[in-house]
Amino acid sequence: MPLHVPPAPAPALRSVRTALGSPTAVREARTPSLTSAQTPLSPELPLPVHVLERVTPRGTAPRTRLTGWRFLIKGGDRAVAAGEAMLTPDGWAFSHFFEGPYLASTERALRQAEALPTPYQPRLLSVPELYMLTLWLHADIAADASSELFAPGDLLVPLAPAPPGIAAHRPHRVSDLLPMLTLRLTPGPALKATA
């Protein structure tokens, strides 16, 4: 089933395109694949990047916050890097380019998602406290990309490298994975007593 990729805000895309055309921005990014590219580069497949807000007490709906838009930078038929735009008080601005394991892992997770029988809106969900990034498959394909709440039927696909004990590239229902994350993020009794 095809994924329903939400359109990125025009200023976010424009900021990444401008940075991609800037020799200074590309050189300072220290991404070898961008500086050595032999084919034209283009930002494609925009994914809204959300951060999981601090885990809330049981029974309250967890919330996310839109922090940016990530674009896969394609050179020919493959992604060679990613570029990100972030939301600032003045609007969307270029943040950075990068390479690394999450690039191939994102592509793999997106291919897996396209093979699912249900349509989804793809997003990225970051859990900074666990150094974890997931592909968030939002079940409400018509939702605004900045919506902060999970929908029934949403899936989370941890990207590699995933934290110990969490299998990468295995889809989890949000209702199954979030309690596991909550346990890992909740301070233990000794930490609570000293706080």
Side-chain angles (χ1 to χ4, degrees), residues 32-108:
S33 61
L34 289 181
T35 54
S36 65
Q38 300 297 315
T39 58
L41 300 171
S42 64
E44 298 178 16
L45 195 67
L47 296 170
V49 179
H50 287 255
V51 172
L52 184 65
E53 291 291 305
R54 193 157 287 283
V55 176
T56 55
R58 193 173 218 107
T60 7
R63 298 185 77 83
T64 69
R65 177 175 44 87
L66 179 68
T67 59
W69 280 83
R70 184 170 297 172
F71 300 83
L72 296 183
I73 307 299
K74 296 273 188 148
D77 61 346
R78 67 182 191 91
V80 297
E84 198 161 307
M86 65 181 185
L87 188 57
T88 70
D90 296 324
W92 292 101
F94 172 72
S95 174
H96 62 284
F97 290 117
F98 63 93
E99 297 178 11
Y102 284 131
L103 187 63
S105 188
T106 300
E107 286 188 302
R108 177 179 170 189

Side-chain angles (χ1 to χ4, degrees), residues 132-183:
M132 180 179 186
L133 187 64
T134 70
L135 178 64
W136 173 9
L137 298 173
H138 194 51
D140 182 357
I141 60 174
D144 184 279
S146 64
S147 63
E148 302 172 337
L149 297 174
F150 295 101
D154 282 6
L155 299 177
L156 296 175
V157 182
L159 300 180
I166 297 176
H169 296 287
R170 182 174 170 264
H172 299 268
R173 290 208 169 281
V174 168
S175 58
D176 295 335
L177 186 60
L178 282 183
M180 285 177 30
L181 301 181
T182 302
L183 287 175

Side-chain angles (χ1 to χ4, degrees), residues 10-34:
L13 176 58
R14 193 169 36 254
S15 74
V16 172
R17 275 195 178 132
T18 300
L20 198 54
S22 163
T24 304
V26 169
R27 189 173 49 254
E28 288 177 1
R30 295 192 172 97
T31 52
S33 61
L34 289 181

